[in-house]
Each structure stands twice: as structure tokens, then as C-alpha cells.
Amino acid sequence: MKVAVFGTQKYDLESLNNAIPEGFQINFTFLDPLLDEQTAVLAAGHEAVCIFVNDLCDAKVVQTLSELGVKFIALRCAGYNNVDLHAAAKFGIKVARVPAYSPEAVAEFTVGMIMTVVRKYHKAYNRVREGNFLLDGLLGMNIHGKTIGIIGTGKIGLLTGKILSKGFGANVIAYDPYPSPAAEEHGIVYVNTLEELWPRVDIISLHCPLMESTEYIINDNTLAQTKKGIVIINTSRGGLIDTYALIRALKSGHVAAVGLDVYERESGYFFADSSAKVIADDSFARLLSFYNVFMTGHQAFLTKEALDNIAETTIANLRDLEATGTCAFVVGK
């Protein structure tokens, strides 16, 4: 099987090559550009494409892939909001994903991001390197005893809630239309509606997938229902937050701090070095200018364990798709 890997990073090349099982014939073509309407032609001569979160696989791209003879789309991530599943079904292309590569990696990073924004580690680090040991402006707050709202209790949300509840002594409440029976043992208490959650919490942590019902779940209306001084953390998908609404809430002082590992229009900047060019996205540039916004470049998943699991599951998906036409983690309509 020949597989075109789009948006390849160095760690993708190493992890995928190292995960090829003995006896399985698979040849990866590692490509730098992301998949989109212009780059889809690079998949010619391949049976499958392997893509990540910022690759674009809409109906036009899917049609092009089909015309080129591509049979399979292997996502090396859990989310599949960037793939038009209706088009894939129409053209007979099977789509597979990696549903749980390392929930611990993202949960641990999320808690680290909470601690960074509320205890200002990043500011203290920069000060001390410059010889400034003043503590002015570094006042934080305890996590213990605070109420934290988890939106989305899949594996990552559950683990994040468990760490905060069991490890820090926080009061963790959550909303999910499909409650998990494991939540109670993790110290997580469900609320029935988001309207019940917003006014109660000191910190919001987003862990839901991006879909029509969750797009811009953080917006002017929902922010208005939260406490003044709310802290917002997003390590899930950028489109969960209306950036313009968030900027307005930051400018007014309603939002105390924000930690973002994702951004709704991140594909033009993330996973690349943009340090020598002007950021043309005014909203992104404005977010970066706030003293109380801490951003990272979609890094939460990046651990050795996660990369190994992603590579192994991706290759297993491709092997099973080639052999049987389906696999354990196939998605579609």
C-alpha cells in the first residue's frame, strides 16, 4: 500500500516509520504541504492519504482524491470535523481515525495550562531570566476549593476532571449530553444544562468535539452568563470559541485569563515557523497581544507515548482497511 502523508512533521516521519510491523508492505510518501484543493493532486498514485487536524478534506478535495484512485483517508487524530463524510461515502472512500491516542497527554497538558495562567509561571520565568525577582503582578489563586466546569466528558475530559478533583481538591462539575458512568468515581458531578454550569464555575475547560451543535459554544451570550473573572481553557478545537466575543470579554475585563492550545483559524500559522512574517489575521494578533492570554501551538497531544499510539493505530487502520475494507475505528455516514 502506498500512502501520501500530508503536513508531515519530523516526529510524524520517525513515529510512522518506526511503527511499521514486520511483514506489512506499506510505503509512505511524506509531504510537507497540508492537504487542500491545490495539493490534493500530490495523492496521485497512492491508495490512501494520511492527514491531521488542519488538513482540508472537503467535498471538492474528496472528489479529487476519488478521481486519483484514493480509497482510504487515515486521520492521525481523533477529530474528523475537517473531513466531509457525506462526500467520502458518496465516492466510496473509507475514513478512519485514532480515537484515543493518549488522553493522559492532553489532560496533563490542560492542567499545566490552568496552572500556568492562574499562577503565571510564564511571566515569572521571563522575569527571573532578566534578573527581576519582584513578585508584583504575579498574584495567583488556589485551585483547591474552586469550581471548575468541564464541557465534554470523553476520555480527556474525564481525566482532566479526575486530576483536578482528586489531585487538587477542586469542585468539578461537567456537562455532556451523554454522561459517563465513570464520572462519579472521578469526583465529577454532572449538571443538566449548560445554563446551570456557566454562572457557577471559576474555570471552564473545553473538551468537546467540534460539530454544528458545539461551534462557538463560547460566545457573547454564554460569556455574559459567567462570573466576572472567569478563566477559560481550550485544548480541544479552536472553533469552540467565538474569537471576537472572547476579545470583547477580555477588553472589558470580564475574562481574567485564557489558555489556548488551539485557534479557530490556526491552519495558516500552526505547525510552521511564522516568526519572520507578519500575522495577517488581526484577531489572532490581538489575542497574542493580551497580557493575560497564554497560547501554545496545538501542542497538548505531543508526547512520545501519544505519537507511538497514533502511528500504531494509524497503520493498523490502514492494514485492516486494505485487507477487509473496514477497521475498528472507521467513521462515516
Side-chain angles (χ1 to χ4, degrees):
M1 174 184 281
K2 294 187 69 177
V3 182
V5 182
F6 284 85
T8 304
Q9 301 293 325
K10 181 181 177 182
Y11 49 78
D12 294 316
L13 190 154
E14 294 174 350
S15 61
L16 285 168
N17 276 333
N18 290 338
I20 299 174
E22 187 175 349
F24 180 47
Q25 296 299 315
I26 185 169
N27 295 308
F28 290 115
T29 301
F30 293 103
L31 304 168
D32 289 332
L34 298 175
L35 176 64
D36 58 25
E37 196 172 344
Q38 285 69 47
T39 63
V41 293
L42 297 174
H46 296 82
E47 296 169 72
V49 295
C50 182
I51 63 175
F52 197 51
V53 295
N54 287 325
D55 291 285
L56 176 64
C57 202
D58 60 13
K60 289 183 178 180
V61 172
V62 171
Q63 181 175 352
T64 300
L65 293 177
S66 176
E67 292 168 353
L68 293 171
V70 172
K71 300 175 182 177
F72 312 118
I73 297 170
L75 288 147
R76 53 187 192 275
C77 56
Y80 48 89
N81 55 282
N82 54 333
V83 179
D84 190 320
L85 297 179
H86 290 291
K90 176 182 175 181
F91 291 103
I93 296 178
K94 293 293 180 69
V95 181
R97 66 183 183 123
V98 182
Y101 36 89
S102 178
E104 294 85 1
V106 182
E108 291 167 8
F109 190 91
T110 300
V111 175
M113 183 166 271
I114 292 172
M115 294 303 297
T116 297
V117 300
V118 302
R119 297 304 303 269
K120 303 177 176 62
Y121 294 156
H122 54 312
K123 296 181 181 298
Y125 173 78
N126 288 330
R127 281 192 189 185
V128 169
R129 285 177 61 84
E130 295 173 355
N132 180 353
F133 299 95
L134 286 173
L135 299 182
D136 296 343
L138 299 180
L139 183 66
M141 69 177 185
N142 291 352
I143 299 299
H144 179 83
K146 296 298 184 294
T147 300
I148 301 177
I150 303 290
I151 301 178
T153 54
K155 293 182 179 180
I156 295 170
L158 282 176
L159 283 172
T160 303
K162 178 183 178 181
I163 295 169
L164 293 167
S165 173
K166 302 293 187 180
F168 286 82
N171 301 312
V172 179
I173 62 175
Y175 173 77
D176 194 307
Y178 305 99
S180 169
E184 184 177 358
E185 67 181 90
H186 291 339
I188 301 169
V189 178
Y190 282 107
V191 295
N192 294 320
T193 65
L194 282 170
E195 288 70 26
E196 186 180 346
L197 181 143
W198 302 127
R200 292 177 55 185
V201 297
D202 303 293
I203 300 170
I204 295 167
S205 190
L206 300 174
H207 299 284
C208 49
L210 178 60
M211 55 185 67
E212 187 175 349
S213 61
T214 61
E215 185 176 16
Y216 289 171
I217 198 169
I218 301 294
N219 55 56
D220 284 314
N221 178 53
T222 54
L223 284 167
Q225 298 175 57
T226 62
K227 296 178 182 179
K228 181 176 174 59
I230 189 71
V231 173
I232 298 172
I233 307 293
N234 188 7
T235 56
S236 183
R237 288 290 184 268
L240 299 174
I241 296 178
D242 179 344
T243 302
Y244 297 112
L246 180 61
I247 289 171
R248 285 190 286 271
L250 282 161
K251 288 172 69 175
S252 72
H254 184 80
V255 172
V258 177
L260 301 174
D261 188 49
V262 290
Y263 171 64
E264 61 175 312
R265 291 180 292 275
E266 68 183 53
S267 60
Y269 300 97
F270 283 17
F271 305 108
D273 184 357
S274 299
S275 61
K277 67 179 183 182
V278 173
I279 294 179
D281 184 330
D282 289 342
S283 298
F284 189 31
R286 186 67 178 98
L287 277 179
L288 291 171
S289 74
F290 285 104
Y291 79 96
N292 52 350
V293 173
F294 176 70
M295 293 191 71
T296 51
H298 211 129
Q299 179 188 340
F301 78 98
L302 193 62
T303 65
K304 181 183 184 305
E305 293 82 357
L307 290 177
D308 289 345
N309 288 336
I310 288 170
E312 290 167 7
T313 303
T314 299
I315 290 174
N317 285 342
L318 289 166
R319 182 188 60 211
D320 292 346
L321 286 168
E322 182 183 44
T324 68
T326 189
C327 68
F329 303 123
V330 71
V331 295
K333 296 184 178 180

